[in-house]
Amino acid sequence: MYRIKLLALSFIFFSGLASAETVSKAIVIQGNGDKPQFERALKLASNMHEVLTTSKFEIVVFGPTVKLLTEDSDELPLIQKVQNEGIKIVACGRSMTTDQVKKTDLIAGVTVTAFGAVHIVNRQKQGWQYFRP
Amino acid sequence: MYRIKLLALSFIFFSGLASAETVSKAIVIQGNGDKPQFERALKLASNMHEVLTTSKFEIVVFGPTVKLLTEDSDELPLIQKVQNEGIKIVACGRSMTTDQVKKTDLIAGVTVTAFGAVHIVNRQKQGWQYFRP
Amino acid sequence: MYRIKLLALSFIFFSGLASAETVSKAIVIQGNGDKPQFERALKLASNMHEVLTTSKFEIVVFGPTVKLLTEDSDELPLIQKVQNEGIKIVACGRSMTTDQVKKTDLIAGVTVTAFGAVHIVNRQKQGWQYFRP
């Protein structure tokens, strides 16, 4: 009986550690700011991904910067390059409403989260690392 | 005897998890910057609080931005709105000395921490999420 | 036999806690930005170090700001003051390549990391607190 309890405890404990290890290999990058700053965020994520090949990356875009995520954006080539590397671009739904960007306007593959800042905080709670260029 | 040890261990372990869960429901928002940036921090905290209703929020204000925390500040209505929602505004004592803001000048309810940046770092150690708009 | 297992488990568990406690006493400060912002980062680290005397501090400098880390920099006196207090200045190797700053140009004691943003993310994974002035 004791043996069973011990095993159960070890299992919970070590699975906890294992999952922390997994989620710590993920980085969320804040993508708001002016155009040059947004470009820096995109290039930075791309460069970091080259080095940290097994990490997941998300660039969370909010504020007026969501206007740079539409199909007619000057940033289209760079955004597509970054997406092809497996980096996710996540747009803030609240900012899209404020700046009248529709979901159908967005570059293919860009996903929408209800609230960008809340998403960033939740990702930190899940063990993702936060970086603001 | 083994049984007692086992129980003691589980208790420590699970209480550890429980307390981590509690403190992770708290967010500290960095509130320095120019006037529009400070307003964005206030509005953002208010909007986040609408969604994360059970989380605690603190806006830590430092640098010359502490001058916007006085009773004659243009930001008074917005600060009071945010405070009424249960969001705490915390002013950096060092910045107040530098910018000659007295404790008696501050809007009612604004608290003072000795050193804003140290407070933010300590909050992170306690498991609060850090967000810089 | 049960006793041995129990002790082994406690050891792993408590050593985990102990090491988390140790690494949490370390702060990495992001040091990119314009000249006044970099000076603020240096002064902030120095002031924080006065209060958090047992914490380790690193200022990770990247982007064009690495040009302020050379022997002929206006920031030399402030950088040396900060270094004498035990605060480490870490330069981003990628930014140094981009901005043509050679390792031999750097102020004595400034160390180089291959990729500044990756270093910051790794420090967070190791339990360091992240602060961006």
Side-chain angles (χ1 to χ4, degrees):
Chain A
M1 199 192 101
Y2 294 136
R3 191 188 183 90
I4 289 160
K5 283 212 184 180
L6 253 176
L7 286 177
L9 188 61
S10 339
F11 176 73
I12 294 161
F13 181 51
F14 288 113
S15 71
L17 275 187
S19 98
E21 182 55 34
T22 309
V23 287
S24 74
K25 291 189 177 173
I27 296 125
V28 57
I29 295 177
Q30 189 164 319
N32 70 323
D34 56 12
K35 207 168 150 171
Q37 202 179 349
F38 180 55
E39 282 180 19
R40 270 199 300 277
L42 290 165
K43 286 175 190 164
L44 188 81
S46 172
N47 289 337
M48 289 176 85
H49 183 261
E50 258 178 50
V51 180
L52 303 170
T53 48
T54 60
S55 296
K56 284 195 278 185
F57 284 86
E58 278 184 4
I59 303 171
V60 180
V61 184
F62 60 93
T65 317
V66 292
K67 288 187 279 188
L68 298 174
L69 299 178
T70 56
E71 281 290 350
D72 58 351
S73 166
D74 294 348
E75 305 304 329
L76 181 65
L78 186 53
I79 287 173
Q80 288 182 332
K81 176 190 177 288
V82 158
Q83 287 180 320
N84 288 336
E85 293 163 1
I87 294 162
K88 271 186 71 178
I89 314 275
V90 181
C92 171
R94 293 214 171 199
S95 307
M96 286 170 64
T97 305
T98 305
D99 284 293
Q100 299 181 300
V101 173
K102 289 183 219 133
K103 209 171 165 173
T104 48
D105 299 336
L106 293 174
I107 293 165
V110 174
T111 56
V112 178
T113 190
F115 196 151
V118 169
H119 183 77
I120 289 176
V121 163
N122 284 336
R123 284 308 200 196
Q124 287 187 64
K125 283 187 200 172
Q126 291 162 12
W128 291 50
Q129 264 62 51
Y130 169 50
F131 192 79
R132 187 191 182 291
Chain B
M1 197 192 100
Y2 293 137
R3 190 186 183 92
I4 288 158
K5 284 212 182 180
L6 253 175
L7 286 176
L9 189 60
S10 336
F11 175 74
I12 294 162
F13 182 51
F14 289 112
S15 70
L17 275 185
S19 97
E21 181 55 34
T22 309
V23 286
S24 73
K25 291 189 178 172
I27 295 126
V28 58
I29 294 177
Q30 188 165 320
N32 69 323
D34 56 13
K35 207 169 151 172
Q37 202 180 348
F38 179 55
E39 282 180 19
R40 270 199 300 277
L42 290 166
K43 286 174 189 165
L44 188 82
S46 172
N47 289 335
M48 289 176 84
H49 183 262
E50 259 177 49
V51 179
L52 302 170
T53 48
T54 60
S55 296
K56 283 194 278 186
F57 284 85
E58 277 183 6
I59 303 172
V60 180
V61 184
F62 60 94
T65 316
V66 293
K67 287 186 280 188
L68 298 174
L69 299 179
T70 55
E71 281 290 350
D72 58 351
S73 166
D74 294 348
E75 304 305 327
L76 180 66
L78 186 53
I79 287 174
Q80 287 180 333
K81 176 190 177 289
V82 157
Q83 287 179 321
N84 288 337
E85 293 163 1
I87 294 162
K88 269 185 73 175
I89 314 275
V90 182
C92 171
R94 293 214 172 199
S95 307
M96 286 170 63
T97 305
T98 305
D99 285 293
Q100 299 179 297
V101 174
K102 288 182 222 134
K103 212 171 163 173
T104 48
D105 299 336
L106 293 175
I107 293 166
V110 172
T111 56
V112 179
T113 189
F115 195 151
V118 169
H119 183 77
I120 290 178
V121 162
N122 284 337
R123 284 307 200 195
Q124 287 186 65
K125 283 189 201 171
Q126 291 162 13
W128 290 50
Q129 264 63 51
Y130 168 50
F131 192 78
R132 188 192 181 290
Chain C
M1 199 192 100
Y2 293 136
R3 191 186 182 91
I4 288 160
K5 282 210 185 183
L6 253 175
L7 287 176
L9 189 60
S10 339
F11 176 74
I12 293 161
F13 182 52
F14 290 112
S15 71
L17 276 185
S19 99
E21 182 53 36
T22 309
V23 286
S24 73
K25 292 189 179 172
I27 296 125
V28 57
I29 295 177
Q30 188 165 319
N32 71 322
D34 55 13
K35 206 168 150 171
Q37 203 179 348
F38 179 55
E39 282 180 19
R40 271 199 300 276
L42 290 165
K43 285 174 191 163
L44 188 81
S46 172
N47 289 336
M48 290 176 83
H49 183 261
E50 259 178 50
V51 180
L52 303 170
T53 48
T54 60
S55 296
K56 282 194 281 185
F57 284 85
E58 277 183 6
I59 303 172
V60 180
V61 184
F62 60 94
T65 317
V66 292
K67 287 186 281 189
L68 299 173
L69 300 178
T70 55
E71 281 291 350
D72 57 353
S73 166
D74 294 348
E75 305 303 328
L76 181 66
L78 186 53
I79 288 174
Q80 287 181 332
K81 176 189 178 289
V82 158
Q83 287 180 320
N84 288 337
E85 293 162 2
I87 294 162
K88 268 185 72 177
I89 314 275
V90 181
C92 171
R94 293 213 171 200
S95 307
M96 285 170 64
T97 306
T98 305
D99 285 292
Q100 300 180 298
V101 174
K102 289 183 220 134
K103 210 172 164 172
T104 48
D105 299 335
L106 293 174
I107 293 164
V110 173
T111 56
V112 178
T113 190
F115 196 150
V118 169
H119 183 77
I120 289 176
V121 163
N122 284 337
R123 284 306 200 198
Q124 287 187 64
K125 283 187 199 172
Q126 291 162 13
W128 289 49
Q129 264 62 52
Y130 169 49
F131 192 78
R132 187 191 182 292

mmCIF file of all heavy atoms in Angstrom, chain A residues 27-57:
data_model
loop_
_atom_site.group_PDB
_atom_site.id
_atom_site.type_symbol
_atom_site.label_atom_id
_atom_site.label_comp_id
_atom_site.label_asym_id
_atom_site.label_seq_id
_atom_site.Cartn_x
_atom_site.Cartn_y
_atom_site.Cartn_z
ATOM 1 N N ILE A 27 8.617 31.052 -26.417
ATOM 2 C CA ILE A 27 8.896 32.473 -26.208
ATOM 3 C C ILE A 27 7.794 33.305 -26.845
ATOM 4 O O ILE A 27 7.435 33.093 -28.007
ATOM 5 C CB ILE A 27 10.269 32.852 -26.819
ATOM 6 C CG1 ILE A 27 11.373 32.107 -26.079
ATOM 7 C CG2 ILE A 27 10.513 34.357 -26.756
ATOM 8 C CD1 ILE A 27 12.267 31.291 -26.972
ATOM 9 N N VAL A 28 7.240 34.228 -26.094
ATOM 10 C CA VAL A 28 6.256 35.143 -26.649
ATOM 11 C C VAL A 28 6.909 36.522 -26.767
ATOM 12 O O VAL A 28 7.531 37.013 -25.829
ATOM 13 C CB VAL A 28 4.947 35.173 -25.804
ATOM 14 C CG1 VAL A 28 5.202 35.544 -24.374
ATOM 15 C CG2 VAL A 28 3.912 36.083 -26.422
ATOM 16 N N ILE A 29 6.827 37.100 -27.950
ATOM 17 C CA ILE A 29 7.476 38.377 -28.220
ATOM 18 C C ILE A 29 6.400 39.439 -28.436
ATOM 19 O O ILE A 29 5.476 39.245 -29.213
ATOM 20 C CB ILE A 29 8.398 38.252 -29.464
ATOM 21 C CG1 ILE A 29 9.542 37.288 -29.142
ATOM 22 C CG2 ILE A 29 8.920 39.609 -29.908
ATOM 23 C CD1 ILE A 29 10.492 37.009 -30.286
ATOM 24 N N GLN A 30 6.524 40.535 -27.717
ATOM 25 C CA GLN A 30 5.537 41.612 -27.829
ATOM 26 C C GLN A 30 5.770 42.382 -29.118
ATOM 27 O O GLN A 30 6.884 42.828 -29.369
ATOM 28 C CB GLN A 30 5.673 42.519 -26.609
ATOM 29 C CG GLN A 30 4.577 43.547 -26.496
ATOM 30 C CD GLN A 30 4.544 44.153 -25.097
ATOM 31 O OE1 GLN A 30 4.703 43.449 -24.110
ATOM 32 N NE2 GLN A 30 4.329 45.449 -25.015
ATOM 33 N N GLY A 31 4.723 42.519 -29.924
ATOM 34 C CA GLY A 31 4.911 43.079 -31.254
ATOM 35 C C GLY A 31 4.220 44.409 -31.501
ATOM 36 O O GLY A 31 3.912 44.725 -32.638
ATOM 37 N N ASN A 32 3.981 45.182 -30.451
ATOM 38 C CA ASN A 32 3.375 46.501 -30.708
ATOM 39 C C ASN A 32 4.467 47.546 -30.903
ATOM 40 O O ASN A 32 5.640 47.291 -30.647
ATOM 41 C CB ASN A 32 2.446 46.901 -29.551
ATOM 42 C CG ASN A 32 3.211 47.216 -28.272
ATOM 43 O OD1 ASN A 32 4.202 46.572 -27.981
ATOM 44 N ND2 ASN A 32 2.737 48.185 -27.527
ATOM 45 N N GLY A 33 4.077 48.723 -31.362
ATOM 46 C CA GLY A 33 5.051 49.797 -31.585
ATOM 47 C C GLY A 33 4.928 50.343 -32.990
ATOM 48 O O GLY A 33 3.992 50.004 -33.715
ATOM 49 N N ASP A 34 5.893 51.175 -33.381
ATOM 50 C CA ASP A 34 5.853 51.738 -34.730
ATOM 51 C C ASP A 34 6.369 50.706 -35.739
ATOM 52 O O ASP A 34 6.738 49.588 -35.376
ATOM 53 C CB ASP A 34 6.656 53.041 -34.785
ATOM 54 C CG ASP A 34 8.094 52.851 -34.316
ATOM 55 O OD1 ASP A 34 8.536 51.693 -34.177
ATOM 56 O OD2 ASP A 34 8.780 53.853 -34.087
ATOM 57 N N LYS A 35 6.378 51.103 -37.013
ATOM 58 C CA LYS A 35 6.748 50.173 -38.075
ATOM 59 C C LYS A 35 8.170 49.612 -37.936
ATOM 60 O O LYS A 35 8.350 48.393 -37.990
ATOM 61 C CB LYS A 35 6.586 50.888 -39.433
ATOM 62 C CG LYS A 35 6.309 49.969 -40.579
ATOM 63 C CD LYS A 35 5.887 50.762 -41.787
ATOM 64 C CE LYS A 35 6.286 50.053 -43.057
ATOM 65 N NZ LYS A 35 5.709 50.700 -44.251
ATOM 66 N N PRO A 36 9.192 50.476 -37.710
ATOM 67 C CA PRO A 36 10.544 49.910 -37.560
ATOM 68 C C PRO A 36 10.649 48.953 -36.362
ATOM 69 O O PRO A 36 11.337 47.936 -36.440
ATOM 70 C CB PRO A 36 11.438 51.143 -37.323
ATOM 71 C CG PRO A 36 10.628 52.323 -37.741
ATOM 72 C CD PRO A 36 9.191 51.948 -37.662
ATOM 73 N N GLN A 37 9.929 49.268 -35.294
ATOM 74 C CA GLN A 37 9.982 48.421 -34.106
ATOM 75 C C GLN A 37 9.321 47.061 -34.384
ATOM 76 O O GLN A 37 9.799 46.024 -33.911
ATOM 77 C CB GLN A 37 9.268 49.125 -32.941
ATOM 78 C CG GLN A 37 9.712 48.608 -31.580
ATOM 79 C CD GLN A 37 9.020 49.323 -30.429
ATOM 80 O OE1 GLN A 37 8.364 50.343 -30.623
ATOM 81 N NE2 GLN A 37 9.165 48.794 -29.227
ATOM 82 N N PHE A 38 8.235 47.081 -35.145
ATOM 83 C CA PHE A 38 7.567 45.833 -35.510
ATOM 84 C C PHE A 38 8.465 44.976 -36.403
ATOM 85 O O PHE A 38 8.570 43.764 -36.233
ATOM 86 C CB PHE A 38 6.230 46.130 -36.200
ATOM 87 C CG PHE A 38 5.477 44.903 -36.618
ATOM 88 C CD1 PHE A 38 5.166 43.910 -35.703
ATOM 89 C CD2 PHE A 38 5.066 44.730 -37.940
ATOM 90 C CE1 PHE A 38 4.471 42.765 -36.088
ATOM 91 C CE2 PHE A 38 4.374 43.588 -38.327
ATOM 92 C CZ PHE A 38 4.081 42.611 -37.401
ATOM 93 N N GLU A 39 9.145 45.642 -37.340
ATOM 94 C CA GLU A 39 10.094 44.910 -38.203
ATOM 95 C C GLU A 39 11.219 44.285 -37.376
ATOM 96 O O GLU A 39 11.632 43.151 -37.628
ATOM 97 C CB GLU A 39 10.711 45.853 -39.258
ATOM 98 C CG GLU A 39 9.768 46.125 -40.408
ATOM 99 C CD GLU A 39 10.369 47.062 -41.455
ATOM 100 O OE1 GLU A 39 11.606 47.220 -41.490
ATOM 101 O OE2 GLU A 39 9.592 47.657 -42.225
ATOM 102 N N ARG A 40 11.694 45.042 -36.386
ATOM 103 C CA ARG A 40 12.735 44.497 -35.506
ATOM 104 C C ARG A 40 12.235 43.253 -34.772
ATOM 105 O O ARG A 40 12.972 42.278 -34.630
ATOM 106 C CB ARG A 40 13.172 45.556 -34.472
ATOM 107 C CG ARG A 40 14.328 46.419 -34.936
ATOM 108 C CD ARG A 40 15.029 47.104 -33.753
ATOM 109 N NE ARG A 40 14.138 47.967 -32.987
ATOM 110 C CZ ARG A 40 13.835 49.228 -33.299
ATOM 111 N NH1 ARG A 40 14.340 49.795 -34.378
ATOM 112 N NH2 ARG A 40 13.030 49.942 -32.540
ATOM 113 N N ALA A 41 10.960 43.308 -34.322
ATOM 114 C CA ALA A 41 10.387 42.147 -33.610
ATOM 115 C C ALA A 41 10.341 40.926 -34.528
ATOM 116 O O ALA A 41 10.680 39.809 -34.118
ATOM 117 C CB ALA A 41 8.995 42.478 -33.092
ATOM 118 N N LEU A 42 9.945 41.134 -35.789
ATOM 119 C CA LEU A 42 9.857 40.032 -36.751
ATOM 120 C C LEU A 42 11.242 39.435 -37.013
ATOM 121 O O LEU A 42 11.434 38.214 -36.990
ATOM 122 C CB LEU A 42 9.245 40.516 -38.064
ATOM 123 C CG LEU A 42 7.743 40.871 -38.046
ATOM 124 C CD1 LEU A 42 7.352 41.666 -39.294
ATOM 125 C CD2 LEU A 42 6.883 39.616 -37.935
ATOM 126 N N LYS A 43 12.218 40.322 -37.285
ATOM 127 C CA LYS A 43 13.582 39.845 -37.585
ATOM 128 C C LYS A 43 14.206 39.162 -36.373
ATOM 129 O O LYS A 43 14.904 38.157 -36.504
ATOM 130 C CB LYS A 43 14.463 41.025 -38.047
ATOM 131 C CG LYS A 43 14.126 41.477 -39.464
ATOM 132 C CD LYS A 43 14.902 42.714 -39.855
ATOM 133 C CE LYS A 43 14.377 43.294 -41.163
ATOM 134 N NZ LYS A 43 14.849 44.692 -41.372
ATOM 135 N N LEU A 44 13.938 39.729 -35.205
ATOM 136 C CA LEU A 44 14.477 39.160 -33.974
ATOM 137 C C LEU A 44 13.944 37.749 -33.753
ATOM 138 O O LEU A 44 14.710 36.828 -33.447
ATOM 139 C CB LEU A 44 14.101 40.044 -32.794
ATOM 140 C CG LEU A 44 14.749 39.667 -31.479
ATOM 141 C CD1 LEU A 44 16.171 40.217 -31.416
ATOM 142 C CD2 LEU A 44 13.939 40.194 -30.311
ATOM 143 N N ALA A 45 12.629 37.574 -33.909
ATOM 144 C CA ALA A 45 12.030 36.243 -33.728
ATOM 145 C C ALA A 45 12.654 35.262 -34.710
ATOM 146 O O ALA A 45 12.986 34.126 -34.353
ATOM 147 C CB ALA A 45 10.523 36.316 -33.918
ATOM 148 N N SER A 46 12.829 35.695 -35.956
ATOM 149 C CA SER A 46 13.416 34.843 -36.985
ATOM 150 C C SER A 46 14.842 34.436 -36.615
ATOM 151 O O SER A 46 15.214 33.256 -36.702
ATOM 152 C CB SER A 46 13.391 35.596 -38.326
ATOM 153 O OG SER A 46 14.115 34.890 -39.297
ATOM 154 N N ASN A 47 15.635 35.402 -36.160
ATOM 155 C CA ASN A 47 17.020 35.113 -35.768
ATOM 156 C C ASN A 47 17.088 34.209 -34.529
ATOM 157 O O ASN A 47 17.907 33.298 -34.461
ATOM 158 C CB ASN A 47 17.781 36.419 -35.488
ATOM 159 C CG ASN A 47 18.055 37.202 -36.758
ATOM 160 O OD1 ASN A 47 18.079 36.636 -37.861
ATOM 161 N ND2 ASN A 47 18.219 38.507 -36.641
ATOM 162 N N MET A 48 16.204 34.478 -33.557
ATOM 163 C CA MET A 48 16.196 33.660 -32.341
ATOM 164 C C MET A 48 15.813 32.224 -32.672
ATOM 165 O O MET A 48 16.356 31.272 -32.116
ATOM 166 C CB MET A 48 15.223 34.230 -31.306
ATOM 167 C CG MET A 48 15.684 35.531 -30.685
ATOM 168 S SD MET A 48 14.441 36.246 -29.551
ATOM 169 C CE MET A 48 14.849 35.365 -28.028
ATOM 170 N N HIS A 49 14.884 32.080 -33.605
ATOM 171 C CA HIS A 49 14.402 30.759 -33.996
ATOM 172 C C HIS A 49 15.508 29.928 -34.645
ATOM 173 O O HIS A 49 15.562 28.708 -34.494
ATOM 174 C CB HIS A 49 13.220 30.920 -34.949
ATOM 175 C CG HIS A 49 12.616 29.627 -35.362
ATOM 176 N ND1 HIS A 49 12.909 29.030 -36.569
ATOM 177 C CD2 HIS A 49 11.758 28.797 -34.728
ATOM 178 C CE1 HIS A 49 12.245 27.889 -36.647
ATOM 179 N NE2 HIS A 49 11.542 27.722 -35.556
ATOM 180 N N GLU A 50 16.409 30.620 -35.361
ATOM 181 C CA GLU A 50 17.578 29.952 -35.971
ATOM 182 C C GLU A 50 18.445 29.265 -34.915
ATOM 183 O O GLU A 50 19.039 28.218 -35.159
ATOM 184 C CB GLU A 50 18.473 31.012 -36.636
ATOM 185 C CG GLU A 50 18.358 31.120 -38.119
ATOM 186 C CD GLU A 50 19.254 32.242 -38.614
ATOM 187 O OE1 GLU A 50 20.443 32.283 -38.238
ATOM 188 O OE2 GLU A 50 18.745 33.116 -39.352
ATOM 189 N N VAL A 51 18.545 29.925 -33.751
ATOM 190 C CA VAL A 51 19.406 29.424 -32.672
ATOM 191 C C VAL A 51 18.638 28.441 -31.783
ATOM 192 O O VAL A 51 19.132 27.375 -31.439
ATOM 193 C CB VAL A 51 19.930 30.612 -31.817
ATOM 194 C CG1 VAL A 51 20.812 30.108 -30.695
ATOM 195 C CG2 VAL A 51 20.673 31.603 -32.688
ATOM 196 N N LEU A 52 17.416 28.840 -31.395
ATOM 197 C CA LEU A 52 16.595 28.015 -30.508
ATOM 198 C C LEU A 52 15.606 27.218 -31.367
ATOM 199 O O LEU A 52 14.404 27.483 -31.375
ATOM 200 C CB LEU A 52 15.850 28.906 -29.499
ATOM 201 C CG LEU A 52 16.723 29.804 -28.623
ATOM 202 C CD1 LEU A 52 15.884 30.805 -27.848
ATOM 203 C CD2 LEU A 52 17.561 28.963 -27.653
ATOM 204 N N THR A 53 16.143 26.247 -32.092
ATOM 205 C CA THR A 53 15.353 25.569 -33.131
ATOM 206 C C THR A 53 14.198 24.743 -32.570
ATOM 207 O O THR A 53 13.230 24.492 -33.287
ATOM 208 C CB THR A 53 16.262 24.636 -33.974
ATOM 209 O OG1 THR A 53 17.047 23.864 -33.058
ATOM 210 C CG2 THR A 53 17.184 25.446 -34.860
ATOM 211 N N THR A 54 14.297 24.313 -31.303
ATOM 212 C CA THR A 54 13.227 23.478 -30.761
ATOM 213 C C THR A 54 12.207 24.287 -29.955
ATOM 214 O O THR A 54 11.291 23.719 -29.376
ATOM 215 C CB THR A 54 13.806 22.362 -29.858
ATOM 216 O OG1 THR A 54 14.505 22.986 -28.780
ATOM 217 C CG2 THR A 54 14.747 21.457 -30.627
ATOM 218 N N SER A 55 12.373 25.612 -29.921
ATOM 219 C CA SER A 55 11.430 26.454 -29.175
ATOM 220 C C SER A 55 10.265 26.890 -30.052
ATOM 221 O O SER A 55 10.408 27.053 -31.261
ATOM 222 C CB SER A 55 12.136 27.718 -28.656
ATOM 223 O OG SER A 55 13.142 27.383 -27.733
ATOM 224 N N LYS A 56 9.124 27.081 -29.416
ATOM 225 C CA LYS A 56 7.978 27.679 -30.099
ATOM 226 C C LYS A 56 8.055 29.194 -29.944
ATOM 227 O O LYS A 56 8.487 29.691 -28.912
ATOM 228 C CB LYS A 56 6.672 27.182 -29.466
ATOM 229 C CG LYS A 56 6.283 25.770 -29.851
ATOM 230 C CD LYS A 56 4.840 25.478 -29.512
ATOM 231 C CE LYS A 56 4.726 25.100 -28.042
ATOM 232 N NZ LYS A 56 3.348 24.687 -27.684
ATOM 233 N N PHE A 57 7.615 29.907 -30.963
ATOM 234 C CA PHE A 57 7.616 31.375 -30.923
ATOM 235 C C PHE A 57 6.251 31.927 -31.302
ATOM 236 O O PHE A 57 5.620 31.426 -32.242
ATOM 237 C CB PHE A 57 8.643 31.940 -31.910
ATOM 238 C CG PHE A 57 10.063 31.819 -31.446
ATOM 239 C CD1 PHE A 57 10.785 30.656 -31.674
ATOM 240 C CD2 PHE A 57 10.679 32.863 -30.768
ATOM 241 C CE1 PHE A 57 12.090 30.537 -31.234
ATOM 242 C CE2 PHE A 57 11.983 32.754 -30.333
ATOM 243 C CZ PHE A 57 12.695 31.582 -30.562
#
